[in-house]
Amino acid sequence: MAIAILGGGISGLTLAWYLQRAGLDYDLFEAAPRPGGTIRSEQHGPYLLETGPNSLQLSDELRELLDGLGLTSQIQDAAAVSQNRYVLREGRYQKLPASPPALLTSSFFSLKARFNFLRELTRPALPPDSQETLAHFFRRRFGPEVVDYALNPFISGIYAGDPEQLLLHKTFPQLAALEQQHGSVVRGLMKSKGAPGGRRRIFTLREGLQTLTDTLARKLRRAHFGQAATLLHRREDDGLWELETTAGPAPRLYQQVVLALPAYTAASLLETQFPEAAAALAQVHYPPMTAVYTAYQRADVQHPLDGFGALHPQVEQPYAAGSIWTSSIFPERAPAGQVLFTTFVGGSQYEAQARQPEAEQKAAVHQELSRLYGVAPGAQPLWQYRYYWERAIPQFDARIVPAHAAADTLALQGMHVTANWRAGVGVPDCVRHARTLAATLAAS
């Protein structure tokens, strides 16, 4: 059985790796000359930047993949201070409580909000609702303050999303399950001893996360980079798939096809033979996102920067969604005596800012950093750089539901999907989904 994999990001590369290890025949086609999709590491003089994911959580599946690739020795753990997370509140950064018990004793939330947290234990569970948003769920269980100052910045900073739009059962189905199984999210968390999955080890690779995708690509025997799929057709007589690429016809026919592509790219391949599926995939929303990297002299920044970074609630009316304190997490990413911020501008709640001209963005980021971190008057950045994604992270809102349904229907015809709009937006989610699909294809 030959399998065509379209897309050479982390999902497609991981799938091909596991198919190869299982002895299955495949061809992987990637439009770009380089592998990795959104995982990209760039060296700019003394600064090592990540323009996609900035760090990863070490899931069991990701650990297994790194071990199989011989990359375990390249793992670099985040500094201990990365356990601290800050949120902007009333114009200054305050440390976010790291656990439910800490929440009750911290002054981060008001007494009313802490009382609402306790009352969650007695609030009745409602029947499951597939249309319930994250904000609605947290508001009815914990009250508005938790939504404004915990949920909103988290969802904006991590998912580039809006909790008023993202669906609970598509983003955090574990929380919905806790309510149904235990009658209370808090009670369920206490019985499971923490949040679903717990807080995993945060890490990078010493030469950048692109080391992972580059290594995967080098080990694949049937990977074709710089070849975009242009036509995909399923023959009615035998059900085999024909594939055309920018380099010409694919070398053979395929029994199975896997779309490891962004939804909008996959839609263009499906519109001729599968117009309904194509229409559903084309609706998936990818908001724009800009990363602005800014370096200062350490002596010019008053804030201790003793954490992973800081997130900005929308209610505070910020310019950026927040910043990662890159030089605090991984000190080797910037020269000694300097600090490096990675600031995110954009996402669903800040789309207008994301599309502003580069000079305006850099100036606005410097102004906000100066105000919030106590940058010395008159001090200017030693260095700034901008990276722009026109389409960043897929949103698991109401528009993702028909796309997922279309993917289920296509699977019945030998076309499968493994991509972040299907698996989940995190790299560990993509690795897990690709590994599972490889096992399914091998078993068939």
Side-chain angles (χ1 to χ4, degrees):
M1 175 176 72
I3 301 168
I5 304 169
L6 310 184
I10 186 62
S11 295
L13 294 171
T14 301
L15 175 66
W17 166 250
Y18 280 111
L19 291 179
Q20 184 169 288
R21 295 187 68 180
L24 272 68
D25 203 5
Y26 71 90
D27 282 297
L28 182 146
F29 301 93
E30 164 56 40
R34 60 166 288 276
T38 59
I39 297 179
R40 184 190 296 262
S41 307
E42 295 186 359
Q43 187 76 48
H44 291 259
Y47 308 104
L48 178 57
L49 311 181
E50 302 287 356
T51 63
N54 277 263
S55 58
L56 300 178
Q57 289 188 334
L58 192 59
S59 65
D60 292 340
E61 293 85 359
L62 193 48
R63 186 195 304 272
E64 178 190 84
L65 179 62
L66 292 168
D67 184 59
L69 294 171
L71 292 176
T72 304
S73 62
Q74 294 293 314
I75 292 175
Q76 179 183 2
D77 287 308
V81 296
S82 65
Q83 295 296 315
N84 300 327
R85 311 295 170 101
Y86 286 79
V87 170
L88 183 65
R89 179 154 195 175
E90 298 175 354
R92 66 183 183 87
Y93 289 130
Q94 301 184 41
K95 190 181 297 186
L96 188 67
S99 65
L103 186 150
L104 293 175
T105 58
S106 169
S107 60
F108 181 88
F109 289 109
S110 68
L111 287 173
K112 182 178 179 180
R114 283 178 271 173
F115 180 64
N116 273 332
F117 188 83
L118 288 174
R119 285 187 60 197
E120 196 275 339
L121 290 163
T122 63
R123 286 194 173 100
L126 296 184
D129 178 4
S130 63
Q131 298 303 309
E132 185 169 32
T133 66
L134 282 170
H136 185 271
F137 177 80
F138 274 82
R139 197 173 285 120
R140 71 177 175 82
R141 297 302 309 180
F142 299 101
E145 192 176 325
V146 169
V147 173
D148 287 343
Y149 282 100
L151 180 68
N152 179 279
F154 175 79
I155 295 301
S156 175
I158 307 301
Y159 295 94
D162 182 352
E164 302 288 351
Q165 301 296 325
L166 299 190
L167 299 178
L168 174 70
H169 85 287
K170 288 295 184 181
T171 49
F172 294 103
Q174 310 99 315
L175 296 180
L178 290 176
E179 180 187 29
Q180 297 303 313
Q181 295 168 10
H182 303 281
S184 159
V185 175
V186 174
R187 186 180 300 111
L189 289 174
M190 290 190 297
K191 289 186 177 180
S192 61
K193 297 182 179 179
R199 179 173 284 187
R200 295 192 178 100
R201 182 176 164 191
I202 303 296
F203 78 100
T204 188
L205 298 176
R206 296 191 184 281
E207 297 180 8
L209 293 176
Q210 190 177 322
T211 304
L212 169 58
T213 48
D214 285 350
T215 302
L216 275 168
R218 284 196 300 269
K219 291 182 177 291
L220 298 181
R221 293 191 290 268
R222 302 273 311 176
H224 313 277
F225 297 104
Q227 295 188 30
T230 58
L231 180 66
L232 184 62
H233 176 75
R234 187 173 188 262
R235 306 196 312 191
E236 293 185 3
D237 55 345
D238 56 12
L240 297 178
W241 294 91
E242 298 174 325
L243 178 65
E244 294 275 347
T245 77
T246 49
R252 49 190 160 174
L253 299 173
Y254 301 96
Q255 283 81 16
Q256 307 277 345
V257 171
V258 179
L259 301 176
L261 298 166
Y264 51 87
T265 305
S268 65
L269 286 174
L270 298 175
E271 59 186 358
T272 300
Q273 195 169 17
F274 304 97
E276 292 184 5
L281 269 59
Q283 292 302 309
V284 176
H285 180 46
Y286 289 74
M289 176 64 73
T290 298
V292 178
Y293 308 85
T294 309
Y296 295 99
Q297 292 286 7
R298 182 67 185 94
D300 288 337
V301 180
Q302 292 181 14
H303 195 284
L305 302 178
D306 55 341
F308 189 89
L311 296 173
H312 298 165
Q314 189 182 41
V315 70
E316 293 281 325
Q317 298 183 323
Y319 178 78
S323 295
I324 290 175
W325 303 341
T326 305
S327 54
S328 294
I329 310 167
F330 304 117
E332 298 83 0
R333 297 291 169 100
Q338 296 185 21
V339 294
L340 179 63
F341 295 90
T342 302
T343 302
F344 298 100
V345 180
S348 291
Q349 299 184 65
Y350 308 96
E351 291 198 28
Q353 289 98 310
R355 294 194 170 97
Q356 288 178 337
E358 179 175 351
E360 288 184 25
Q361 288 178 334
K362 288 180 175 179
V365 166
H366 167 57
Q367 183 180 29
E368 189 163 78
L369 292 174
S370 298
R371 175 172 58 87
L372 296 175
Y373 291 92
V375 175
Q380 295 296 314
L382 297 170
W383 178 80
Q384 272 191 308
Y385 176 73
R386 182 189 85 146
Y387 195 92
Y388 176 66
W389 293 100
E390 176 61 32
R391 291 165 163 162
I393 300 175
Q395 300 298 293
F396 281 52
D397 55 22
R399 290 168 284 191
I400 205 78
V401 176
H404 285 180
D408 292 339
T409 300
L410 291 170
L412 301 176
Q413 303 190 57
M415 178 183 288
H416 309 274
V417 173
T418 184
N420 63 356
W421 62 269
R422 187 66 171 121
V425 301
V427 170
D429 299 320
C430 294
V431 168
R432 183 184 308 112
H433 193 272
R435 181 176 179 270
T436 301
L437 178 57
T440 300
L441 293 172
S444 66

